[in-house]
Amino acid sequence: MAVHKAGRKAGRVAAAVAAAALIGVAASACGPDDDNGGGSSDKPASSSGAKSSESSETDAPNGKGPEADAPEAKAPPAASARLAGVPASVKGGVVTVGDPKAKHTVKVYEDARCPFCKKFEDGGAQALVKPVADGKVKVEYTIASFLDKNLGGSGSVNAANALRASVEADRFPQFHAAVFANQAAEETDDAYTPAFLLKIADKVEGLRGAAFDKAVTNGTYKKWVGEAMNAFSEDGIQATPTVFIDGEKAEGSALYEQAAFAKELKAAGIS
């Protein structure tokens, strides 16, 4: 069993391996440093040149604000466009995407800085696009932020805050895809600054606006970020990505390939 561990100390690596074993992780995954699900600061970090709270309400999203000096962002996968118009809602620390009355439910536990979560989003998660768009399945996302504690920085918290803000703008599925498409090549890079997240949002049509920009810059949903992390811990999840299909844990080896995960879904009656 290969378990990805963000920490550098051998003791922490051993702890992560043991934690992953407890939940039967069959492939590489990111894990918190401690036994209670980790945690992180709930305050999104400001980036250099970020707007102050006084100016954020009036500055227009015209590309000349704090994001002007942020790196260029990549567009989300083309398939994410199929999720435009798919409803997203929030209950507690969970974001649900899809028809609330859908027969099937897939639960996904992720941390935006986890490279294996990106691998899942690039691979197995693509098999969910069609059934979600067709109203056959809803996806419940629990967005963790423990990697900030493991690695330092506030990227996971910043990304979770921005993802929550995108729900209010009715663009969560597309923005979620864009966030993972723009994950840093090195997980130790604290790349998800508010400025960069605004650049990423530029790649999602209709997302940028005064309310969204203010929420990203000011950390409007910092309390919710903590609530989501608590939900992650209370569910006993100790590694990301962790995925359940109608209550059954998906095989880790199937998470990273679209065809393999499609077989897992088909076995549950989802196609």
Side-chain angles (χ1 to χ4, degrees), residues 55-256:
S55 63
S56 58
E57 294 185 83
T58 57
D59 289 348
N62 57 12
K64 297 180 182 179
E67 69 274 21
D69 295 328
E72 287 302 316
K74 303 174 185 176
S80 66
R82 296 189 63 178
L83 299 176
V86 173
S89 60
V90 178
K91 183 176 182 179
V94 177
V95 176
T96 299
V97 173
D99 185 345
K101 297 180 180 179
K103 179 180 178 181
H104 300 281
T105 301
V106 173
K107 293 180 69 69
V108 177
Y109 297 84
E110 296 177 317
D111 186 306
R113 291 178 72 179
C114 173
F116 297 102
C117 292
K118 174 175 170 54
K119 190 175 180 182
F120 167 66
E121 289 298 330
D122 290 344
Q126 295 302 304
L128 282 168
V129 173
K130 183 178 186 300
V132 170
D134 291 345
K136 296 180 180 179
V137 61
K138 59 183 179 292
V139 182
E140 297 178 351
Y141 292 96
T142 302
I143 308 298
S145 48
F146 62 82
L147 281 174
D148 287 350
K149 180 177 180 180
N150 291 15
L151 304 172
S154 298
S156 292
V157 168
N158 291 340
N161 173 72
L163 284 164
R164 175 64 181 83
S166 71
V167 176
E168 302 306 312
D170 295 324
R171 298 293 187 279
F172 177 88
Q174 304 98 303
F175 186 58
H176 176 265
V179 167
F180 279 99
N182 284 278
Q183 189 185 84
E186 297 293 333
E187 64 178 329
T188 51
D189 292 342
D190 193 28
Y192 289 128
T193 63
F196 186 45
L197 287 161
L198 291 177
K199 272 289 188 68
I200 295 172
D202 280 331
K203 299 299 181 179
V204 178
E205 184 178 358
L207 177 55
R208 291 293 302 274
F212 175 81
D213 288 13
K214 179 182 178 182
V216 172
T217 302
N218 294 357
T220 298
Y221 296 103
K222 63 183 181 181
K223 290 184 179 179
W224 180 86
V225 173
E227 188 174 358
M229 188 63 229
N230 287 339
F232 177 91
S233 301
E234 290 170 1
D235 284 354
I237 307 302
Q238 298 180 31
T240 55
T242 293
V243 179
F244 292 90
I245 303 172
D246 288 338
E248 297 293 325
K249 189 173 182 295
E251 290 295 330
S253 58
L255 296 180
Y256 307 121

